[in-house]
Structures are given as C-alpha cells and as structure tokens.
Amino acid sequence: MMRMNGVAWRALVAPLLATAATAAFAAPQGVALVPPNGARFLENQRFDIRVEGYGQGAYSASLKVNGQDVQFTSGEQGTTTTDGVSAVEKDASGAVTRTWGGFNARGFSFSRPGKYKLEATFKDATGETSTASTIEIVDVDPGTGHGRKGTLAKNVVILVGDGMGVAHRTAARLVRHGVTGGDPDGYLAMDKFPGTGLVTTHSLNSIVTDSAPGMACYATGSHANNGQEGVYPAHMANPFYYPRVEYMAEYLHRVKGTSLGIVTSADIEDATPAANAVHTGNRNSGTGICDQYLDESDWQATGRSGTGLAVLLGGGRNWFKAATGEQYSRRATSTDYAALPADLLAGWDLPASAAGALDADRDLVGDFQKAGFAYVDSSHDLQNTMSGHGPDRLLGLFGWGNMNVALDKISARRGLDADVVNAYHAPDQPMLDEMADAALKVLSKNEKGFVLMIEGAHIDKQSHLMDVDRAIGETIELDRAVAVARKWADKLGDTVVVVLADHECSGFSLMGALANKQSSSNPTNTGGIDALKTAAAADLAPAKVVGTYDAAGFPRYDFTKYDDGYPATYDIDKKLLVGFGASGDRNETWLTKATPVIDSLLPTAVKTELKAASYVSEPYQRDAGKGWVIGGQATQQDQAVHTATDIPVSAYSSGSDVWRRFVGVQRNTDVFFKLMKATLEREDSRRD
Ligand SMILES: [Zn+2]
C-alpha cells in the first residue's frame, strides 16, 4: 500500500533544476528533515524521508516534494505520540525532559534523474518550523562524463584496509620487498592495480569519520553521522528504526538477483562489515546487527528485498550463541531490536519475520544453518567444507571477538608460539587470503553476480594501539587477499576490484630506521637490535636509536626462511621505525611486542584471563618502566585516533576499463555511484 503512494507521486513530480534556500521560523525545536541537503541517490534507489522535532503539546507535520503534497507512511497528525517510535528523553531521576515527534515516508525512490526539493513543516502548540533540503537523483546511464560507454561489470569486490593510509601501504611494500639504490625491489598486489586515485573521508557530521559512515558511504552513496551505518540521523526509541538508505547489495539483489559476501578479520558486528548490510544508528548494537544479517538476507530467495547474503566470514562468535548456557555469549536485549515499524517493513518489502525480537537466547548459528548456511569455526573446518564444490552459503566464525592479527596467527602456524591464539581461545584461524578465496568460490556460483567486501580490520585496530609490527603485518595480509581477488577477477571476467580504506588511522608516518648509534655518551648501544633487547631505558631514547635520512639506509627483512609470505621476524637491525602523528601517550621500546593489547570485543571472562597472564588493556601500559614515555599529547587519548586525510584507492577491472573511473580526486560517496553505474550500465550501451 505504502509503496503505491511512492510510485504514484514519483510519476507526477518532475525534477527540479534550481536549489532553493531553506527557511526556518521559531517555535518547535530541533526540527530536522532527512535526507539532508545535498544527498544523492541512484535512480530507483530506496530511502526513507523523516521530519522530526520537539516542543509543547500535540505535533503535526507536512511534506512536499517539488511543491506536491506527499503523505507520510507513519506519524499520526495532532498527537504527541506521532509515529510511536520517536525518542522520549529522560533525566537521571526518570522524569521526561523531551518528547520527540516524528513523521516518516518509508521506502521511496525516484526513477527520473535530477534535483528534487523536499519541504517540510513541523508544528506544535506554540508554532510552526519549516525546513527543506534539495536532493539529487543520479542517472545510471553511462556517457555522462565518465568516458566511453562501458561494458557491464557483473561482480564487485571491495577490499578495505581499515585505517590504511598511503604510509601503511609504503611500509608494507618496504618490509615485503625492500629497496635497493633508491628503487623498490618489488610492489604490492594493490600497487600493481592500474587505476590509482585519492578519496576524501569525511562523514555527515565531522571531517574525521569512523568506520561506520566511512564504509557506508561506499555502500550507499550517502553520508551518515559517525557511529551510524545505512541510516540518516534521527531521534527514535531504537537505532534500528532510523530512516534508511538502500545498500549496494540490497539494490543489486533486488534488481539483478546478486549475492553478498562479507569477509573480515574483525568481529562480524564491527562497523565496516555491518555497513554493507545492516541499518542502525548505533554501530555497537551487536546482537541486533548479527540478527539483521540473517533476517534481511532474503535467504528465502524472494528477490524482492534484502541483501542476498551468502557468505559471512570473520570473528564475533559471541553474538551468535545463546546468552543462556554459553559463558562467552555477548547477546543481550540492550543491543537488540524488536518490532521494526510496519511502514518500514512495507516500504522496504520486508517479510513480517524481519521485524525482529528481543531474543538474547536465540541460537543464531542454528538459524543460519536452517537458512541453508554451512557453518565452520576453524581453518581446518573451512578447508574441509570448501573441498569439492563447496557449499552454496557459508558462515564462518573464527574467534569470539575480533580475530587475531597476522603476526600472531603466523607465529602459531609456524609452530613457534601459539600462546596468543590459544589465550584468545581461537587456536586455528584462517588467513584473510584463504577466507577471500573461499568467499569467491561460493559467490561465483551465482551467475547473476555478487558484491563482496573484504576487510583487513587490524590495520586500523593495531594503528590505534600504535603496534607497528602488527599493523604492517596486517597490511601484508590484506595485500595477499588483494592478489586473490585479482586472480578471481581474471578468471570470472566482468569483475571490478577496488582497494580502499574507510579513513586513515594514527597519522602513521615512516620516520626512518633503527640506528646503531654507539658513541662515548651511549656506550651500551653496541649491537643494533640485539643490544636493544637488553638496553636500559635511557638508551632507548629517540636520539639514540632513531636513524633519520641517510642513517636509515635500506632496511631488509628476511622472507626466505618461511614460504608463507610473512617476514621471519620484524626485529632486524635497521628495522623500519614509525611515528604516529595522531598518537596517544605511550611507551616505546621499538621491538616487536610479545603480546597484543587485549582485544576489546573479547568475552569478559577471556579478558580477565588475559589480564592475569600479563596482557595489557591500553598501549601506555606496555613495558612499564622501560622505554620512551610521551606526555601530554594533543589528542589526550589513550590510543591513536583517526585522521581527516584522504586515502588512496586502487582499482582493477577485468573485461572493461572501469578502473579508469577511479583515477583522480573523488568524494568518498562517488565510489558508490561509480561502482553502481559500472554494474547497471544497460546492455544496449555495449553495442555503441
Ligand atoms: Zn579505527
């Protein structure tokens, strides 16, 4: 019913050519209209419209699109309860301080490209406030400034090095291949992609984004507020009720029947993976996020809505096991949702079963299996399940919180030291390239194509923790997955692969190499890395170990001892030294840290075990009493923070030259439109 409304007025309303200014009159407070001014959508891409505010007495509202009246799908006029799901704010004593009213128009889309002006009024007992925004509908047709009319890309692979800036890539290349006489001795797989550009990273409410809007802007074409994914900001009783914008996976599943794969080394609930499939105003709602992966996957294969999720690989088993009876479960009603509004379900063609329930005791692994997913929880299991044809749908949960980083996984695989992975209760985890290969094998069974997002999550997490060697190891791990994606793109044809980051993290900077500065004033520094291992704190001062300019020379890591693609050790003479422009206060001993900082998403019981085993919770607690203590950093944080700098994009495509479109400087939301246009370009444009 509600969609009929949208369809009917979509036909009536013509695109607007000029942008008009918004006007506001005092009375109700906090009046806001979303989508916000400047939002862009692809033709036929779905989104919700909402006007909200607060004040006194009963609320009412109106909405016009290009001057034509539009009916809301929820929000009862002349009431204080309006849509029944707007926020009621209370103070510490429980007294109501603010009652929001809200009116929604769910699941709209426009088929005609151009600009549209949305005008809304919001009224309370004291008066009326007007607000407006102008949005743009973007044509999928090629030939609008993006070069020749291209061939279709059937498959999209997005690799995200979370927090990966230019310097992370340079560091990984330096460590992996070395430099001789001024030239790199080799290049990363991502370096070899033909299309390289720069991408802005800002979110809807800040120059510095977090991963939720950072990823969501690639997957929706719209900016979101920090901490939010697949939604516009709102004041509502549950973050899962917020006004939605359609994901790439949802759009392509609905119009083409594609599948979605999500692969990450993070906890599956984390912002980057969730920002491909889950609509929530709170990135920390793990229970609801993991429920929505399945409940809006369209596992029933109706093709009418949902993401087409067929592969979900990562950590985060704690969200999939019932709260009762599983000591490591983190499922809780406080991070869940129930009763998605009826007009939301109708506007997005979702089945009644997608409404959700407060079900901390849900056996989500069991429900995935009932929906046709094979379930694996170790590398060994994954290998077995993938032998032969492999399953049609695959769920792999390889850790309780985030998975371990490459450095610790590799140490265990080499039979050297499995203490860390054992301490994390995840002794047998796959590497990211192995997960990517499995995902591509499963997804390639869908002849209608797929969207696959592969995240190297710990580039960010270890940069936050200022753990240089673990961050570089993660970048190498991601690059090995990039190589796998390129190999599959060549095999499948008509596949576009982009390597992105959601933002840079830590102001990672390559300042030089470990220097052996033996001198009369520094007599204990006698032997490079070995001397450093037993050096007194005073001898670790930057002036005594940091070699800049020619003192840095050419670090060379040993890749010959093992054939797994990772260095024998990071603690070499002249090891690469990294500074953190956005650092927190910390100790620095320059050597590889024996243990990681405790993963914040682990079950509490495991964290307690790790603390008892001398793992620390914050980087400044490392190597107490030894090393270099920075005081009073500008960020005033325990950890390093994200930065506002542009990130590099590298693009590759088989069967077309879609990669060319990513050359240059672009807005982060442009990435969505470029990928979607490549995927939707009409058959007839191929014949030109
Ligand atoms: Zn981060």
Side-chain angles (χ1 to χ4, degrees):
M1 280 295 286
M2 300 309 178
R3 288 204 43 76
M4 291 299 292
N5 184 17
V7 170
W9 67 269
R10 169 198 306 159
L12 289 172
V13 178
L16 188 79
L17 293 176
T19 306
T22 60
F25 306 93
Q29 304 294 300
V31 175
L33 172 68
V34 293
N37 200 45
R40 292 183 296 163
F41 304 91
L42 204 63
E43 62 180 61
N44 297 319
Q45 185 184 6
R46 288 174 175 172
F47 57 93
D48 292 339
I49 303 171
R50 174 176 170 86
V51 56
E52 65 173 22
Y54 64 89
Q56 297 171 34
Y59 302 126
S60 53
S62 69
L63 177 65
K64 283 188 197 311
V65 176
N66 286 0
Q68 307 241 0
D69 286 326
V70 172
Q71 298 302 305
F72 294 108
T73 56
S74 61
E76 194 181 344
Q77 301 285 344
T79 67
T80 51
T81 51
T82 60
D83 59 1
V85 291
S86 290
V88 178
E89 295 177 10
K90 296 175 181 172
D91 65 16
S93 72
V96 173
T97 55
R98 189 174 290 174
T99 302
W100 288 84
F103 298 82
N104 312 288
R106 299 277 194 180
F108 282 95
S109 62
F110 295 101
S111 57
R112 295 174 63 188
K115 295 205 168 166
Y116 292 78
K117 185 172 187 190
L118 313 182
E119 295 171 286
T121 63
F122 187 89
K123 200 178 347 182
D124 74 353
T126 66
E128 182 176 294
T129 298
S130 299
T131 180
S133 64
T134 299
I135 64 171
E136 184 181 353
I137 304 301
V138 176
D139 192 350
V140 299
D141 265 341
T144 52
H146 291 291
R148 73 176 176 84
K149 293 182 177 179
T151 50
L152 295 174
K154 189 167 94 171
N155 310 307
V156 174
V157 182
I158 303 173
L159 291 120
V160 176
D162 202 301
M164 182 174 72
V166 173
H168 292 89
R169 292 175 56 152
T170 310
R173 188 203 303 136
L174 258 170
V175 169
R176 178 67 189 84
H177 294 289
V179 172
T180 304
D183 284 317
D185 290 331
Y187 290 89
L188 299 176
M190 60 183 111
D191 291 336
K192 294 176 183 167
F193 278 24
T196 301
L198 289 175
V199 182
T200 64
T201 62
H202 318 305
S203 70
L204 184 59
N205 65 337
S206 175
I207 55 168
V208 183
T209 188
D210 76 295
S211 291
M215 178 72 229
C217 66
Y218 302 141
T220 65
S222 272
H223 290 295
N225 272 6
N226 283 354
Q228 307 189 357
E229 52 216 17
V231 295
Y232 291 109
H235 293 84
M236 303 180 85
N238 186 294
F240 288 87
Y241 300 164
Y242 283 22
R244 293 182 171 196
V245 54
E246 191 168 43
Y247 281 116
M248 178 183 296
E250 293 173 312
Y251 188 117
L252 293 177
H253 179 68
R254 180 166 61 81
V255 305
K256 294 182 73 178
T258 54
S259 299
L260 170 64
I262 295 174
V263 173
T264 179
S265 52
D267 187 311
I268 279 293
E269 70 109 29
D270 208 14
T272 305
N276 289 275
V278 175
H279 301 271
T280 181
N282 180 359
R283 59 172 281 180
N284 298 315
S285 306
T287 309
I289 286 167
C290 292
D291 285 353
Q292 194 165 99
Y293 277 129
L294 178 63
D295 294 345
E296 298 195 19
S297 67
D298 192 29
W299 57 268
Q300 307 90 332
T302 66
R304 285 172 46 210
S305 64
T307 58
L309 183 76
V311 175
L312 189 59
L313 301 177
R317 199 184 301 135
N318 49 186
W319 304 110
F320 289 72
K321 299 278 191 175
T324 305
E326 173 51 67
Q327 65 160 327
Y328 294 152
S329 175
R330 291 186 72 200
R331 289 188 66 85
T333 54
S334 61
T335 55
D336 204 355
Y337 64 93
L340 287 183
D343 66 323
L344 190 162
L345 294 175
W348 290 76
D349 279 333
L350 288 164
S353 62
L358 299 179
D359 47 8
D361 277 334
R362 182 177 189 179
D363 171 15
L364 190 54
V365 169
D367 284 356
F368 264 88
Q369 288 173 311
K370 281 179 205 150
F373 284 76
Y375 172 61
V376 296
D377 64 1
S378 68
S379 178
H380 178 81
D381 249 15
L382 178 66
Q383 260 182 335
N384 282 348
T385 303
M386 292 311 299
S387 64
H389 285 291
D392 293 339
R393 291 175 183 161
L394 178 63
L395 171 68
L397 301 171
F398 305 108
W400 288 99
N402 294 312
M403 291 175 67
N404 282 110
V405 306
L407 186 149
D408 296 313
K409 288 188 292 190
I410 285 293
S411 174
R413 285 180 168 225
R414 288 174 179 172
L416 297 177
D417 182 352
D419 286 357
V420 171
V421 294
N422 286 336
Y424 274 55
H425 294 258
D428 181 30
Q429 302 166 62
M431 306 302 291
L432 196 64
D433 53 329
E434 297 162 354
M435 295 158 72
D437 191 60
L440 283 154
K441 184 171 173 179
V442 173
L443 293 168
S444 63
K445 292 181 179 187
N446 186 348
E447 291 182 349
K448 294 167 180 164
F450 60 81
V451 176
L452 171 61
M453 194 288 300
I454 302 168
E455 184 201 19
H458 290 282
I459 300 168
D460 175 76
K461 295 181 194 302
Q462 297 303 319
S463 294
H464 276 293
L465 301 172
M466 297 165 285
D467 191 325
V468 174
D469 301 328
R470 282 186 174 78
I472 294 173
E474 283 305 294
T475 313
I476 293 172
E477 187 180 23
L478 175 76
D479 193 59
R480 292 174 61 82
V482 172
V484 167
R486 180 170 183 160
K487 188 190 74 187
W488 274 93
D490 287 339
K491 183 176 165 186
L492 297 173
D494 289 343
T495 300
V496 56
V497 184
V498 288
V499 182
L500 293 158
D502 45 359
H503 53 74
E504 198 273 347
C505 182
S506 78
F508 206 78
S509 99
L510 315 185
M511 61 187 183
L514 186 71
N516 179 1
K517 294 188 179 175
Q518 188 181 6
S519 67
S520 57
S521 65
N522 189 22
T524 55
N525 187 11
T526 55
I529 198 75
D530 288 330
L532 201 63
K533 289 174 185 170
T534 54
D539 286 340
L540 298 169
K544 298 183 179 178
V545 299
V546 176
T548 58
Y549 296 106
D550 28 312
F554 298 115
R556 183 155 304 275
Y557 291 73
D558 179 8
F559 279 78
T560 61
K561 189 168 178 184
Y562 300 97
D563 62 3
D564 51 26
Y566 296 87
T569 175
Y570 292 88
D571 283 342
I572 59 165
D573 289 337
K574 283 192 174 288
K575 78 179 284 184
L576 183 63
L577 296 188
V578 171
F580 296 92
S583 74
D585 294 357
R586 78 191 198 283
N587 298 320
E588 183 53 86
T589 61
W590 312 107
L591 297 169
T592 296
K593 296 4 177 189
T595 57
V597 171
I598 299 172
D599 181 279
S600 62
L601 293 182
L602 280 170
T604 306
V606 179
K607 287 189 206 171
T608 305
E609 289 173 11
L610 290 170
K611 277 179 197 155
S614 301
Y615 285 61
V616 299
S617 305
E618 292 292 346
Y620 68 84
Q621 296 165 335
R622 284 187 186 283
D623 308 304
K626 192 177 184 189
W628 168 31
V629 182
I630 304 175
Q633 284 296 296
T635 61
Q636 300 293 305
Q637 305 275 333
D638 295 335
Q639 303 188 358
V641 297
H642 298 177
T643 66
T645 54
D646 290 353
I647 58 92
V649 55
S650 294
Y652 177 75
S653 48
S654 58
S656 76
D657 65 353
V658 162
W659 62 264
R660 289 183 185 278
R661 301 175 184 186
F662 296 89
V663 174
V665 178
Q666 56 225 290
R667 284 178 283 179
N668 48 10
T669 49
D670 290 343
V671 171
F672 169 83
F673 294 98
K674 291 176 181 182
L675 290 172
M676 290 296 280
K677 284 183 177 192
T679 312
L680 289 166
E681 276 170 14
R682 294 176 181 123
E683 287 286 354
D684 57 10
S685 74
R686 307 183 83 161
R687 295 188 211 108
D688 282 10

